[in-house]
Amino acid sequence: MNRYHHEQISKHTYKIVENDPYGQYPFLYAIMGVDKCVVIDTGTGIGDFAGYVDANINKEPRLPYLVINTHVHFDHVGGNHKFAARKGFRGVHMSGADKRFSLNLDINSLCMAHNCTVKHYKVDKWLKEGDTIYLDDSKQERGTSLEIIETPGHTPDSIAIYSHLEKLLFVGDNIYPYTVIHLDCIGSNVKSYVDTLKKLQAYIIKVEKDEPGKLRSPEEVEKSLLCQPCDDEEEEKGNGDAEAKIDSSSSTGEVESKEEQSNEKDDEENHRKDAIANKEEKNDDRNSNETNNKQCATKGENKNSKSAHDEDDTRSCIDNSQAESSINNKNKKENNGQKGKEGGVSSNSNNKQRDQQEEKSKGPPAAAAVLQEQHPHQKLIDDFCQLTGQNVEALNFSIDSLMQISNYNVNEMLDMFFTNGAALSQICPPNSGPQDNRQRKSEGKNSNNSDLVVAARGGGRAEVKKEFKAPEGVRLCCGHVEAALDPKSIEQLLALLEAVKAGALYPSHVDSGYGEFTNGTYSLMMKLKPKW
């Protein structure tokens, strides 16, 4: 079974969905910075989430990890301990709004309610409102930072993280569509939740017009490291060495001057001897050159007479070879012309025979199309469609991805469809499975390569990245179901809460003093008569 699958949702951010056995399907995020990889929530811990990010997103040369938890629930903190074992780990960061609540992991993580366990971990930094985490520590700018916003409601320690770099607001479990938002957990508070929604609404208005930031590329980082000036300590050390050399040279100057005077006298005598020896050598060379010139003159006369005879012989050979080559070329042209005529006739007849054979072997076009579209797991698809009453062509999710994460088990497919059917379009995006890719290729399309470019390896970047336009507005990245939600969803949630408060909306489901209130897109599980 594939425990995780991921999708790149912006230039630097990846969404990873966990296929856990508890039916939570949390959305986890990895943001690739210049000097760190920031992981927002780590899942249930049932699989090796850290290993998956290593292999698929934060590849070698790997950046150190920094983990931020949006709240203490088990499906968001379960994998913390795996990241803590990584080299250069920067720590686990979470809200310090209610440390006592966050540290009571066994109860407040809800792991006992789901019959599972969570390994304990160390919180390295307790976050507060307005704290900033830079994605490039050497160039700390607001446009390349993550800002912490305290958002109690779902839990007292809930936080949201805003990426100024890409205008993404990670809201945890406070907001998501189509699946129940729980305000019935330990520590949940409806009044705090309403205040949080209004706070986020005001914050989005404040940052909506801000320009997104820009991170330095790996090449720019490398260039800045190479161009860095020397440290002050190294400069002082260099100056000290220069001064020491000057002092040592001044102390030995007198000794060197005496030695130079004695050496000058010796040099004069040596120069005189060399001059006399050179004069004698020149006279000897002059005499030897005269004798050599006389010998060369006599040899030259003999060579000239011999070369004249050789030139006559070579000219006659060239004339004969040219005549033979012209005759051979003429014969070749005549032969090639005859072969070309015969070959043209035979090639035309061969082409006609080949075309006739291909037409016979093609068969009816409908049969070929059926063979091309045949799925290797067609029986499993037929069983699923028969049991659910769905048409495979009308599905808003990838049936191939659903089979893959369900380990090709029809019972697991049915369980995911009936318990979390509305979220399948996000968990298994349309045209995302390998069979869908093969089908797109057979239709003549370029599969996934139309919007993919190969990225430069360096700084831990994944090998393949999508090209993304600059963000036009803030988008909400939820802890479940949706990774690019419109901020208008906050208005719809506030309207739903007002309807519940006014008694204008009745619960669709009631359980132990709590009711589920829904407007079709958003659902809230909360007390039957909430007060705020």
Side-chain angles (χ1 to χ4, degrees):
M1 176 185 290
N2 293 323
R3 183 67 65 190
Y4 307 97
H5 69 273
H6 71 281
E7 176 189 2
Q8 189 177 359
I9 61 173
S10 65
K11 186 176 180 181
H12 301 282
T13 304
Y14 296 80
K15 173 199 77 178
I16 307 98
V17 182
E18 180 182 2
N19 178 26
D20 65 286
Y22 312 107
Q24 302 300 307
Y25 307 108
F27 278 26
L28 320 169
Y29 300 92
I31 306 172
M32 300 301 299
V34 170
D35 52 16
K36 65 178 72 67
C37 173
V38 177
V39 176
I40 298 177
D41 291 334
T42 59
T44 64
I46 197 72
D48 187 7
F49 177 49
Y52 182 87
V53 179
D54 283 345
N56 296 278
I57 299 170
N58 187 20
K59 298 184 179 182
E60 294 286 356
R62 191 163 292 123
L63 295 175
Y65 289 104
L66 186 151
V67 171
I68 306 176
N69 295 130
T70 57
H71 59 294
V72 77
H73 283 170
F74 79 101
D75 54 331
H76 296 264
V77 302
N80 285 3
H81 66 285
K82 291 287 182 70
F83 286 96
R86 291 295 188 270
K87 184 179 179 180
F89 183 57
R90 300 288 185 90
V92 172
H93 296 192
M94 65 187 308
S95 172
D98 193 339
K99 295 179 184 178
R100 187 176 178 182
F101 178 86
S102 301
L103 290 172
N104 192 0
L105 191 63
D106 294 334
I107 295 176
N108 294 334
S109 70
L110 304 183
C111 61
M112 295 176 69
H114 290 82
N115 196 25
C116 65
T117 58
V118 174
K119 287 192 177 182
H120 285 249
Y121 52 87
K122 177 188 174 185
V123 179
D124 298 278
K125 184 176 180 180
W126 296 102
L127 300 171
K128 62 181 183 301
E129 179 80 20
D131 277 355
T132 301
I133 297 166
Y134 294 100
L135 296 171
D136 185 357
D137 285 338
S138 62
K139 193 176 181 182
Q140 298 184 356
E141 296 178 345
R142 185 171 184 266
T144 58
S145 67
L146 306 176
E147 185 177 347
I148 304 302
I149 308 161
E150 292 181 352
T151 56
H154 176 61
T155 63
D157 65 346
S158 290
I159 57 171
I161 303 115
Y162 181 67
S163 172
H164 289 278
L165 176 66
E166 296 179 305
K167 305 187 80 167
L168 298 176
L169 183 60
F170 301 90
V171 295
D173 282 2
N174 274 321
I175 303 171
Y176 47 78
Y178 307 121
T179 303
V180 176
I181 300 171
H182 287 276
L183 299 178
D184 57 341
C185 304
I186 302 171
S188 295
N189 187 290
V190 177
K191 183 181 184 306
S192 297
Y193 183 72
V194 174
D195 293 340
T196 284
L197 293 179
K198 293 178 179 179
K199 179 181 181 179
L200 290 176
Q201 198 173 34
Y203 182 86
I204 291 170
I205 293 171
K206 183 178 72 172
V207 300
E208 185 71 50
K209 295 181 180 180
D210 290 351
E211 291 294 326
K214 184 179 179 181
L215 280 179
R216 293 184 296 164
S217 65
E219 292 79 10
E220 290 173 336
V221 174
E222 186 176 358
K223 186 177 179 181
S224 66
L225 292 173
L226 292 173
C227 297
Q228 279 182 352
C230 298
D231 296 336
D232 294 335
E233 293 180 1
E234 293 180 358
E235 290 179 358
E236 290 176 3
K237 185 179 179 181
N239 293 333
D241 292 338
E243 291 175 0
K245 287 180 180 180
I246 293 169
D247 294 337
S248 63
S249 63
S250 63
S251 64
T252 58
E254 296 177 357
V255 177
E256 289 178 354
S257 62
K258 291 179 180 179
E259 291 178 353
E260 287 176 357
Q261 289 177 2
S262 62
N263 291 332
E264 285 177 359
K265 292 179 180 180
D266 295 336
D267 291 338
E268 288 177 359
E269 292 178 1
N270 292 330
H271 283 305
R272 193 179 297 111
K273 292 178 181 178
D274 292 337
I276 293 168
N278 289 331
K279 200 169 186 179
E280 293 176 354
E281 289 177 359
K282 286 180 180 178
N283 292 329
D284 294 337
D285 292 338
R286 192 179 296 123
N287 295 327
S288 63
N289 288 333
E290 289 177 358
T291 57
N292 290 332
N293 290 333
K294 290 178 182 179
Q295 293 175 359
C296 290
T298 57
K299 289 180 181 178
E301 291 176 358
N302 295 328
K303 285 182 180 178
N304 290 332
S305 62
K306 189 178 181 181
S307 62
H309 293 293
D310 293 339
E311 286 179 1
D312 294 336
D313 294 337
T314 54
R315 283 176 187 170
S316 62
C317 291
I318 291 169
D319 293 336
N320 292 331
S321 63
Q322 286 178 350
E324 290 176 0
S325 64
S326 62
I327 293 168
N328 291 332
N329 290 333
K330 190 174 181 181
N331 293 331
K332 285 181 181 179
K333 287 181 181 179
E334 291 175 358
N335 292 331
N336 289 334
Q338 292 177 359
K339 288 180 181 179
K341 290 178 181 179
E342 294 173 359
V345 174
S346 62
S347 64
N348 289 332
S349 61
N350 290 333
N351 289 334
K352 288 180 181 179
Q353 292 176 0
R354 192 183 301 110
D355 293 338
Q356 291 174 358
Q357 290 176 358
E358 288 178 357
E359 287 178 0
K360 291 178 181 179
S361 62
K362 277 184 178 179
V370 169
L371 289 172
Q372 187 177 10
E373 295 177 1
Q374 185 67 37
H375 197 287
H377 301 283
Q378 190 62 47
K379 186 178 184 306
L380 182 61
I381 295 173
D382 293 340
D383 292 343
F384 175 81
C385 292
Q386 184 178 1
L387 293 169
T388 58
Q390 299 291 317
N391 184 355
V392 69
E393 295 179 356
L395 295 175
N396 66 342
F397 56 87
S398 168
I399 186 69
D400 200 50
S401 292
L402 180 61
M403 288 189 296
Q404 196 174 29
I405 66 176
S406 301
N407 202 23
Y408 300 95
N409 186 314
V410 69
N411 292 325
E412 289 192 19
M413 290 171 66
L414 294 171
D415 182 60
M416 287 187 68
F417 179 79
F418 288 115
T419 58
N420 210 4
L424 282 179
S425 61
Q426 289 292 324
I427 298 171
C428 307
N431 299 329
S432 63
Q435 183 66 22
D436 299 309
N437 293 340
R438 287 195 292 272
Q439 186 176 358
R440 286 203 299 275
K441 285 182 180 179
S442 67
E443 292 171 356
K445 297 181 182 178
N446 192 15
S447 180
N448 292 329
N449 295 328
S450 60
D451 58 348
L452 296 181
V453 293
V454 177
R457 289 299 307 280
R461 300 298 192 271
E463 288 184 0
V464 179
K465 284 188 175 183
K466 290 183 181 179
E467 277 188 346
F468 291 93
K469 296 180 180 178
E472 297 178 356
V474 176
R475 285 292 177 267
L476 308 184
C477 297
C478 309
H480 301 270
V481 182
E482 180 61 69
L485 194 63
D486 195 301
K488 291 181 180 178
S489 59
I490 298 176
E491 296 179 10
Q492 298 178 35
L493 278 167
L494 287 170
L496 174 61
L497 286 161
E498 287 298 324
V500 173
K501 183 180 180 180
L505 188 66
Y506 292 98
S508 59
H509 174 72
V510 176
D511 184 13
S512 303
Y514 289 87
E516 183 179 334
F517 300 88
T518 182
N519 62 3
T521 304
Y522 299 94
S523 300
L524 296 168
M525 192 70 176
M526 52 196 293
K527 289 183 178 180
L528 290 173
K529 295 180 179 180
K531 296 180 180 179
W532 68 86

